[in-house]
Amino acid sequence: MSSTNAPFGMRPSFHPSGLDRAVALPNGIASGYSTGILKGQPVALNTSGNIIAATAGSAYQGAFAGHEFTDTTGRRLVSNQWVASTAYQTGSEVTYYYSDPNIVYDIQANGSLAQTSVGDQANFASITAGSTTTGLSQCMISTSLVGSSAVGDMRIIGLTPAVDNAWDDAYTVVQVQVSRSQFVATINAI
């Protein structure tokens, strides 16, 4: 897989405690929010306490996992993506997302990474890319590392263990943790 460009967004791999559960946030996305969000796409909290699509280089919570809601016709729906401008019945929406900054994610790089990248940080590449057909994100980590003394979107902590993945492959899949977490006391909501 790491010799093929096949990004899958941020996929939770594990948590040091063994618990990598998604958080449920009632009315987490505002009805009518105009930006689509795909499963595995980075998300942030805004000042209204709602989940929004994150932007590269900004603090964020973690990865979107999906949501459920009752549409304006009264039908209950479950989806792995937020379709832009979706309207729902007041009080019916629940957003699921991964928010613990200790969760380790697998993510594909947009090129080759060497073992020397462990401990370094990088920003997202193609942060909003993905398929509205499958509802899956295709965001990637950039191979342009920011340097170990700088802050990027993610810190590289290792190579994702798989038989078809190795350092220096064309599209290395690595394990990362959130570096710009909104849970840090000095960082506010967007």
Side-chain angles (χ1 to χ4, degrees):
M1 178 164 154
S2 62
S3 61
T4 304
N5 185 5
F8 47 82
M10 294 175 67
R11 183 175 56 204
S13 179
F14 70 91
H15 185 283
S17 71
L19 301 173
D20 64 351
R21 296 189 181 128
V23 174
L25 181 62
N27 300 310
I29 301 176
S31 185
Y33 176 60
S34 62
T35 302
I37 306 174
L38 303 167
K39 183 175 183 177
Q41 182 175 334
V43 291
L45 279 175
N46 66 13
T47 55
S48 298
N50 293 119
I51 291 294
I52 60 172
T55 57
S58 297
Y60 65 105
Q61 286 286 309
F64 184 71
H67 75 121
E68 59 181 292
F69 63 101
T70 302
D71 70 12
T72 56
T73 67
R75 185 174 52 166
R76 189 75 182 162
L77 300 168
V78 177
S79 180
N80 66 348
Q81 67 179 307
W82 169 264
V83 176
S85 303
T86 295
Y88 58 81
Q89 290 183 7
T90 303
S92 72
E93 198 270 345
V94 179
T95 301
Y96 300 97
Y97 66 102
Y98 295 95
S99 66
D100 190 323
N102 293 316
I103 291 176
V104 175
Y105 297 92
D106 295 326
I107 190 167
Q108 188 171 44
N110 66 351
S112 180
L113 285 172
Q115 188 169 352
T116 55
S117 64
V118 173
D120 210 331
Q121 298 190 37
N123 291 318
F124 288 111
S126 308
I127 192 169
T128 60
S131 169
T132 55
T133 302
T134 65
L136 301 176
S137 172
Q138 293 175 339
C139 83
M140 303 173 90
I141 186 173
S142 173
T143 56
S144 298
L145 305 177
V146 299
S148 58
S149 62
V151 177
D153 294 329
M154 297 165 283
R155 177 177 303 281
I156 300 167
I157 62 168
L159 181 71
T160 297
V163 295
D164 58 351
N165 188 45
W167 293 114
D168 301 314
D169 278 350
Y171 298 97
T172 315
V173 179
V174 293
Q175 293 183 326
V176 298
Q177 283 183 308
V178 174
S179 291
R180 292 186 183 171
S181 173
Q182 286 183 306
F183 281 130
V184 176
T186 58
I187 297 178
N188 295 321
I190 297 173

